Amino acid sequence: MKRKQLKTIESLFVHPPSANIKWSAIEGLLRELGAEITEREGSRIGVRLFGERRVFHRLHPSPDTDKGAVASIRKWLEDNGVKP
């Protein structure tokens, strides 16, 4: 795994959740973990990873991910054995 993705994982697992993680960094991490990402309607994306499908909303106009989304993604990764 590349250094950038390792930093993203570390950022996702900070307590309390950070609100300044760029969504593009999270997408890059998911791709590095083997996710298949597809465009959906509007600003939604489909993510297939860990044998599951999830739908996320790309944030705009701000590129930063909100705390709720960070906590959700952190739990999903943690439940599937991804930890810093």
Side-chain angles (χ1 to χ4, degrees), residues 1 3-33 47 49-50 56 59 63-79 81-84:
M1 189 174 293
R3 185 180 191 144
K4 184 174 181 177
Q5 280 79 26
L6 290 173
K7 286 183 78 175
T8 302
I9 288 175
E10 290 171 1
S11 298
L12 286 169
F13 282 84
V14 169
H15 291 283
S18 176
N20 63 353
I21 301 171
K22 304 286 184 227
W23 177 254
S24 59
I26 292 174
E27 269 192 58
L29 169 64
L30 295 173
R31 286 183 200 278
E32 183 72 21
L33 292 172
V47 179
L49 184 63
F50 310 125
F56 295 101
L59 303 165
D64 295 335
T65 308
D66 65 49
K67 291 180 181 187
V70 169
S72 174
I73 292 168
R74 177 178 59 214
K75 178 161 179 21
W76 188 36
L77 294 176
E78 196 170 39
D79 288 349
V82 178
K83 296 180 182 178

